[in-house]
Amino acid sequence: MNNKYHHIAIALAGVAQSAILIPQLANTGVCSNALYERSIKSVFETSPRTTADVYDGLENIKTGLQTLIQLLSSGQKEQIEIIRYLFGTLNITSKLLKNNDALDKIDQRLKRIASLYPDTNIDTINSNIEDLSYSLAGIYSDIISPLATKIKVIGKPEFLQNSLVQAKVRTSLLGCVRSAILWYQVGGGRLQFLFCRKRINNAAQQLLQDINTTI
């Protein structure tokens, strides 16, 4: 997997996979537990050996790859919200990466949170999902959100006014930012959406084929 666009596709799929949680939460008050837990897990993967290690393997980013292919191929109306969250987090991440003080504060907060648990594996995350949601949401609202124009979340008021749903939305946005950081690190850039969509789409389809072949 030496192709640059394979790494770019993995990272963008990570952004997309966290982004799809936001309309789920905003409109129903719940989201896919498995994808939400993976999003949280990725936030704690700060020293991965490979791009896929951020997600503990390609198979855990399958939904994100499928979503990314849809976003790049169709542009249908139902995808507009996800595209907005994706671009919103790419924009705020570009500002975050220029702010070393904010990056240091995030690192310190993550280490402090991780120190409360014996391991930040999926079982631990599942068992402490509410506490982790509030803690990680605090990182997003305290450090990341003030860096740029706030990302407007659209949904049903009865869910958006719920404190746990709010925390999970912010935690999902933090998951988007984590993958967006990875995207910039592996050579991602905004002009790729204009000039390299086909390459990214082809890479995502190849990765999805590899996952299906392995399974």
Side-chain angles (χ1 to χ4, degrees), residues 101-117:
D101 182 55
L103 289 169
D104 287 342
K105 286 179 180 176
I106 292 171
D107 184 56
Q108 290 167 13
R109 292 271 286 266
L110 285 175
K111 286 177 178 175
R112 196 180 310 150
I113 294 167
S115 71
L116 300 175
Y117 306 97

Side-chain angles (χ1 to χ4, degrees), residues 88-89 91-93 95-96 99 102-103 106 109 136-153 166 169-171 173-174 177:
T89 49
N91 178 57
I92 204 168
T93 302
K95 291 179 171 55
L96 172 63
N99 191 323
L103 289 169
I106 292 171
R109 292 271 286 266
L136 294 173
I139 292 178
Y140 183 84
S141 59
D142 295 344
I143 304 171
I144 299 173
S145 184
L147 296 176
T149 303
K150 292 186 185 300
I151 298 171
K152 185 178 180 182
V153 176
Q166 290 175 5
V169 166
R170 291 184 179 117
T171 298
L173 286 168
L174 182 62
V177 170

Side-chain angles (χ1 to χ4, degrees), residues 56-76:
D56 285 341
L58 280 179
E59 66 278 5
N60 293 317
I61 207 71
K62 182 176 180 178
T63 300
L65 287 167
Q66 292 170 331
T67 304
L68 178 61
I69 291 167
Q70 291 172 358
L71 296 179
L72 292 171
S73 304
S74 62
Q76 295 176 1

Side-chain angles (χ1 to χ4, degrees), residues 1-14 51-52 55 57-66 68-69 199-215:
M1 197 175 64
N2 294 321
N3 187 330
K4 168 185 174 180
Y5 288 97
H6 282 79
H7 298 287
I8 286 170
I10 292 170
L12 270 180
T51 312
Y55 313 102
L58 280 179
E59 66 278 5
N60 293 317
I61 207 71
K62 182 176 180 178
T63 300
L65 287 167
Q66 292 170 331
L68 178 61
I69 291 167
R199 288 185 179 182
I200 298 171
N201 197 347
N202 289 343
Q205 290 184 4
Q206 180 62 58
L207 288 164
L208 193 58
Q209 185 178 327
D210 291 346
I211 293 170
N212 291 333
T213 301
T214 303
I215 294 172

Side-chain angles (χ1 to χ4, degrees), residues 75-91:
Q76 295 176 1
K77 284 186 177 180
E78 59 265 29
Q79 307 291 352
I80 289 176
E81 283 301 297
I82 297 172
I83 291 171
R84 195 166 59 80
Y85 297 132
L86 186 147
F87 275 106
T89 49
L90 292 181
N91 178 57

Side-chain angles (χ1 to χ4, degrees), residues 117-190:
Y117 306 97
D119 191 0
T120 49
N121 58 29
I122 289 296
D123 289 339
T124 299
I125 291 168
N126 179 270
S127 301
N128 300 276
I129 198 75
E130 289 194 14
D131 288 342
L132 281 167
S133 295
Y134 284 115
S135 296
L136 294 173
I139 292 178
Y140 183 84
S141 59
D142 295 344
I143 304 171
I144 299 173
S145 184
L147 296 176
T149 303
K150 292 186 185 300
I151 298 171
K152 185 178 180 182
V153 176
I154 297 172
K156 296 181 179 179
E158 62 264 36
F159 300 122
L160 291 176
Q161 290 168 4
N162 179 284
S163 62
L164 181 57
V165 171
Q166 290 175 5
K168 287 188 172 184
V169 166
R170 291 184 179 117
T171 298
S172 299
L173 286 168
L174 182 62
C176 288
V177 170
R178 172 43 190 128
S179 290
I181 289 172
L182 181 66
W183 180 67
Y184 282 112
Q185 287 173 333
V186 297
R190 295 179 71 86

